[in-house]
Coordinates of all heavy atoms in Angstrom, one line a residue:
L174 N 0.8 -1.2 0.0 CA 0.0 0.0 0.0 C 0.8 1.2 0.0 O 0.5 2.3 -0.6 CB -1.0 0.0 1.2 CG -2.1 -1.0 1.2 CD1 -2.8 -1.1 2.4 CD2 -2.9 -0.9 -0.1
I175 N 2.0 1.2 0.7 CA 2.9 2.4 0.6 C 3.4 2.6 -0.8 O 3.5 3.7 -1.3 CB 4.1 2.2 1.6 CG1 3.5 2.3 3.1 CG2 5.1 3.3 1.4 CD1 4.6 2.0 4.1
N176 N 3.8 1.5 -1.5 CA 4.4 1.6 -2.8 C 3.4 1.8 -3.9 O 3.6 2.6 -4.8 CB 5.1 0.3 -3.2 CG 6.3 0.0 -2.4 OD1 6.9 0.9 -1.7 ND2 6.7 -1.2 -2.2
N177 N 2.1 1.3 -3.8 CA 1.2 1.4 -4.8 C 0.1 2.5 -4.6 O -0.5 2.9 -5.6 CB 0.5 0.1 -5.0 CG 1.4 -0.9 -5.6 OD1 1.6 -1.0 -6.9 ND2 2.0 -1.7 -4.9
A178 N -0.1 2.9 -3.4 CA -1.2 3.9 -3.1 C -0.5 5.1 -2.3 O -1.2 6.1 -2.0 CB -2.2 3.4 -2.2
Q179 N 0.8 5.1 -2.2 CA 1.5 6.2 -1.5 C 0.9 6.5 -0.1 O 0.6 7.6 0.3 CB 1.5 7.5 -2.3 CG 2.4 7.4 -3.6 CD 1.8 6.6 -4.6 OE1 0.7 6.8 -5.0 NE2 2.5 5.5 -5.2
L180 N 0.5 5.3 0.6 CA -0.2 5.4 1.8 C 0.6 6.2 2.9 O 1.8 6.0 3.0 CB -0.4 3.9 2.4 CG -1.3 3.9 3.7 CD1 -2.7 4.3 3.4 CD2 -1.2 2.5 4.3
K181 N -0.1 7.1 3.5 CA 0.6 7.9 4.6 C -0.2 7.6 5.9 O -1.3 7.2 5.9 CB 0.4 9.4 4.3 CG 1.1 9.8 2.9 CD 0.9 11.3 2.6 CE -0.5 11.8 2.5 NZ -1.2 11.1 1.4
P182 N 0.5 7.9 7.1 CA -0.2 7.7 8.3 C -1.4 8.4 8.5 O -2.4 8.0 9.3 CB 0.9 8.1 9.3 CG 2.2 7.9 8.6 CD 1.9 8.3 7.2
T183 N -1.6 9.6 7.9 CA -2.8 10.4 8.0 C -3.9 9.9 7.2 O -5.0 10.4 7.3 CB -2.4 11.9 7.7 OG1 -1.8 11.9 6.4 CG2 -1.5 12.5 8.7
D184 N -3.7 9.0 6.3 CA -4.8 8.4 5.4 C -5.8 7.5 6.2 O -5.4 7.0 7.2 CB -4.1 7.7 4.2 CG -3.5 8.5 3.2 OD1 -3.7 9.7 3.2 OD2 -2.6 8.0 2.5
S185 N -6.9 7.4 5.5 CA -7.9 6.5 6.1 C -8.0 5.2 5.2 O -7.9 5.4 4.0 CB -9.3 7.2 6.2 OG -9.7 7.7 5.0
V186 N -8.2 4.1 5.8 CA -8.3 2.8 5.1 C -9.5 2.1 5.5 O -9.8 1.9 6.7 CB -7.0 1.9 5.5 CG1 -7.1 0.5 4.8 CG2 -5.8 2.7 5.0
L187 N -10.2 1.6 4.5 CA -11.4 0.8 4.7 C -11.0 -0.7 4.2 O -10.6 -0.9 3.0 CB -12.6 1.2 3.9 CG -13.8 0.3 3.8 CD1 -14.3 0.1 5.2 CD2 -14.9 0.8 3.0
D188 N -11.0 -1.7 5.1 CA -10.6 -3.0 4.8 C -11.9 -3.9 4.7 O -12.5 -4.3 5.7 CB -9.8 -3.5 6.1 CG -9.2 -4.9 5.9 OD1 -9.3 -5.4 4.7 OD2 -8.5 -5.4 6.8
L189 N -12.3 -4.1 3.5 CA -13.6 -4.9 3.2 C -13.2 -6.4 3.2 O -12.3 -6.8 2.6 CB -14.1 -4.6 1.8 CG -14.9 -3.2 1.7 CD1 -15.4 -3.1 0.3 CD2 -16.0 -3.1 2.7
G190 N -13.9 -7.1 4.1 CA -13.6 -8.5 4.2 C -12.4 -8.6 5.1 O -11.4 -9.4 4.8
C191 N -12.4 -7.9 6.3 CA -11.1 -7.8 7.0 C -10.8 -9.1 7.7 O -9.6 -9.3 8.0 CB -11.3 -6.7 8.1 SG -12.6 -7.0 9.3
G192 N -11.7 -10.0 7.9 CA -11.5 -11.3 8.3 C -10.6 -11.3 9.6 O -10.8 -10.6 10.5
K193 N -9.6 -12.1 9.7 CA -8.7 -12.2 10.8 C -7.6 -11.3 10.8 O -6.5 -11.5 11.4 CB -8.2 -13.7 11.0 CG -7.6 -14.3 9.8 CD -7.3 -15.8 10.2 CE -6.7 -16.5 8.9 NZ -6.3 -17.9 9.2
L194 N -7.7 -10.2 10.1 CA -6.9 -9.0 10.1 C -5.5 -9.2 9.5 O -4.5 -9.2 10.1 CB -6.7 -8.5 11.5 CG -6.4 -7.0 11.7 CD1 -7.5 -6.2 11.2 CD2 -6.2 -6.8 13.2
Y195 N -5.5 -9.2 8.2 CA -4.3 -9.2 7.4 C -3.6 -7.8 7.4 O -2.4 -7.7 7.1 CB -4.4 -9.7 6.0 CG -4.8 -11.2 5.8 CD1 -6.1 -11.6 5.6 CD2 -3.9 -12.1 6.0 CE1 -6.4 -12.9 5.5 CE2 -4.2 -13.4 5.9 CZ -5.4 -13.9 5.7 OH -5.7 -15.2 5.6
L196 N -4.3 -6.8 7.7 CA -3.8 -5.4 7.7 C -3.3 -4.9 9.1 O -3.4 -3.7 9.3 CB -4.8 -4.5 7.1 CG -5.2 -4.7 5.6 CD1 -6.0 -3.6 5.1 CD2 -4.0 -4.9 4.7
A197 N -2.9 -5.8 10.0 CA -2.6 -5.4 11.3 C -1.4 -4.4 11.2 O -1.4 -3.4 12.0 CB -2.2 -6.6 12.1
A198 N -0.5 -4.6 10.4 CA 0.7 -3.7 10.3 C 0.3 -2.4 9.7 O 0.9 -1.4 10.0 CB 1.8 -4.3 9.3
V199 N -0.8 -2.4 8.9 CA -1.3 -1.1 8.4 C -1.9 -0.2 9.5 O -1.8 1.0 9.6 CB -2.4 -1.3 7.3 CG1 -3.1 0.0 6.9 CG2 -1.7 -2.0 6.1
I200 N -2.6 -0.9 10.5 CA -3.2 -0.3 11.6 C -2.1 0.4 12.5 O -2.3 1.5 12.9 CB -4.0 -1.2 12.5 CG1 -5.2 -1.8 11.7 CG2 -4.6 -0.6 13.8 CD1 -6.1 -2.8 12.4
Q201 N -1.0 -0.3 12.7 CA 0.1 0.1 13.4 C 0.7 1.3 12.8 O 1.1 2.3 13.5 CB 1.2 -1.0 13.6 CG 2.4 -0.5 14.3 CD 2.1 -0.3 15.8 OE1 1.7 -1.1 16.5 NE2 2.4 0.9 16.2
Y202 N 0.7 1.4 11.4 CA 1.3 2.5 10.7 C 0.5 3.7 10.7 O 0.9 4.9 10.7 CB 1.5 2.0 9.3 CG 2.0 3.0 8.2 CD1 3.3 3.4 8.3 CD2 1.1 3.5 7.3 CE1 3.8 4.4 7.3 CE2 1.5 4.4 6.4 CZ 2.9 4.9 6.4 OH 3.3 5.8 5.5
L203 N -0.9 3.5 10.7 CA -1.9 4.6 10.5 C -2.0 5.4 11.8 O -1.7 4.9 12.9 CB -3.2 4.1 10.1 CG -3.3 3.5 8.7 CD1 -4.7 3.0 8.6 CD2 -3.0 4.5 7.7
D204 N -2.4 6.7 11.7 CA -2.8 7.5 12.8 C -4.0 6.9 13.5 O -4.8 6.1 12.9 CB -3.0 8.9 12.4 CG -1.7 9.6 12.1 OD1 -0.6 9.2 12.4 OD2 -1.9 10.8 11.5
K205 N -4.3 7.3 14.8 CA -5.4 6.9 15.5 C -6.7 7.2 14.8 O -6.9 8.2 14.3 CB -5.4 7.7 16.8 CG -6.5 7.3 17.8 CD -6.4 8.1 19.1 CE -7.5 7.8 20.0 NZ -7.3 8.5 21.3
G206 N -7.5 6.1 14.8 CA -8.9 6.3 14.3 C -9.0 6.2 12.8 O -10.1 6.6 12.2
K207 N -7.9 5.8 12.1 CA -8.0 5.8 10.6 C -8.2 4.5 9.9 O -8.2 4.4 8.7 CB -6.5 6.4 10.1 CG -6.3 7.9 10.4 CD -7.5 8.7 9.6 CE -7.2 10.3 9.7 NZ -8.3 10.9 9.0
Y208 N -8.4 3.4 10.7 CA -8.8 2.1 10.1 C -10.1 1.8 10.4 O -10.7 1.8 11.5 CB -7.7 1.1 10.7 CG -8.1 -0.3 10.3 CD1 -7.6 -0.8 9.2 CD2 -9.0 -1.1 11.1 CE1 -7.9 -2.2 8.7 CE2 -9.3 -2.4 10.6 CZ -8.8 -2.9 9.5 OH -9.2 -4.2 9.2

């Protein structure tokens, strides 16, 4: 996501079909309340 969407900590992310949380590292990277 950093390479292909230029994801920044201030961005908001919607994880459709989040399941058992493959985007855990993304939550750690994002600012509070952005996931």
Side-chain angles (χ1 to χ4, degrees):
L174 292 178
I175 290 174
N176 291 338
N177 290 276
Q179 292 75 53
L180 184 69
K181 304 183 295 296
T183 54
D184 287 340
S185 54
V186 173
L187 172 61
D188 186 4
L189 285 183
C191 60
K193 50 185 180 177
L194 205 60
Y195 289 105
L196 298 190
V199 174
I200 297 175
Q201 179 66 60
Y202 173 79
L203 293 175
D204 287 348
K205 180 178 178 179
K207 288 297 185 178
Y208 172 88

